[in-house]
Amino acid sequence: MLLQKKTTRRKFLLGSLMALPVGTIMMKGLSAAEAAEMAAPDLLDYKPVFFSAEEWQFIMAAADRLIPAGGKGKAPGALETNVPIFIDQQMHGDFGEEIYMQGPFNVHAPATMGYQIPFRPQQIYKTGIRLANSWCQQHHQKAFHELAEQDKDQVLTQLQKNDIHFADLGEESLVASQFFGELLSDTKHGYLADPIYGGNKGMKAWIAIGFPGARASFTEWVKQHNVPYPLGPVSLQGARA
């Protein structure tokens, strides 16, 4: 994990605690899950390693509207679970290098034709954010992150439905719904992935949906329908919630 921020002694010790191969760790009443949450980066202090400052503001605002806090059962939102950090760290490095990038490409081909975008995910984000912000400036005189929540939701819906035409903004190789699809997919992944990848801080999303995580065995609960799973999730690092 690359962070443009010095690791504090407290977070170093908490990180060391999480590395211990112990089933349930308690330190002065602190559970392993609580330690994992405290050791994770603070979203407001985090310095992105891939996105620029303007792009980061878009990602923060969009993720917050795609998975807002206070949903069914008062579930945590994307910001409470560090989803933007997950996306930033996924885009950093050689992510997407395995995608076949030899043309010809037909961006208007049906989905059955496979990947038809001449961009890797990093380029999709850079291009999509720039065009979405440009459209917002033209129609709202504000950047996306500065809009009211209702207007943000409307813009995201327009991106999803291709009601914002990237071609009118000079981009012929990417349509709005492709950018929205990448953003939505990565937001979901960051919300539900193991915390080791940067998102799902403190396994909050797993707790909210009753997912067991990386627990070695829970077969005795598979056929018990409509019965809440009582044991709590386990992360890949062995933290238990």
Side-chain angles (χ1 to χ4, degrees), residues 18-37:
M18 294 311 304
L20 294 175
V22 181
T24 301
I25 307 171
M26 295 296 292
M27 181 180 68
K28 293 184 179 180
L30 188 69
S31 72
E34 291 169 334
E37 180 172 346

Side-chain angles (χ1 to χ4, degrees), residues 1 89 193-199 235-237:
M1 182 183 298
Q89 294 181 357
D194 189 276
I196 197 173
Y197 299 107
S235 75
L236 289 175
Q237 290 184 317

Side-chain angles (χ1 to χ4, degrees), residues 82-91 185-187 189-191 193-194 197-200:
N82 278 2
V83 167
I85 294 178
F86 169 88
I87 298 176
D88 182 63
Q89 294 181 357
Q90 288 296 300
M91 292 303 108
S185 176
D186 290 341
T187 299
H189 290 161
Y191 191 68
D194 189 276
Y197 299 107
N200 193 12

Side-chain angles (χ1 to χ4, degrees), residues 192 200 203 205-214 218 229 232-234:
L192 296 171
N200 193 12
M203 295 180 280
W206 288 356
I207 294 170
I209 65 175
F211 180 63
F218 53 93
Y229 182 69
V234 177

Side-chain angles (χ1 to χ4, degrees), residues 145-163:
H145 73 275
E146 298 174 317
L147 300 177
E149 290 185 352
Q150 182 177 355
D151 292 332
K152 290 176 185 174
D153 292 346
Q154 183 179 11
V155 170
L156 290 172
T157 299
Q158 289 174 288
L159 289 169
Q160 182 182 29
K161 295 182 177 180
N162 281 325
D163 290 337

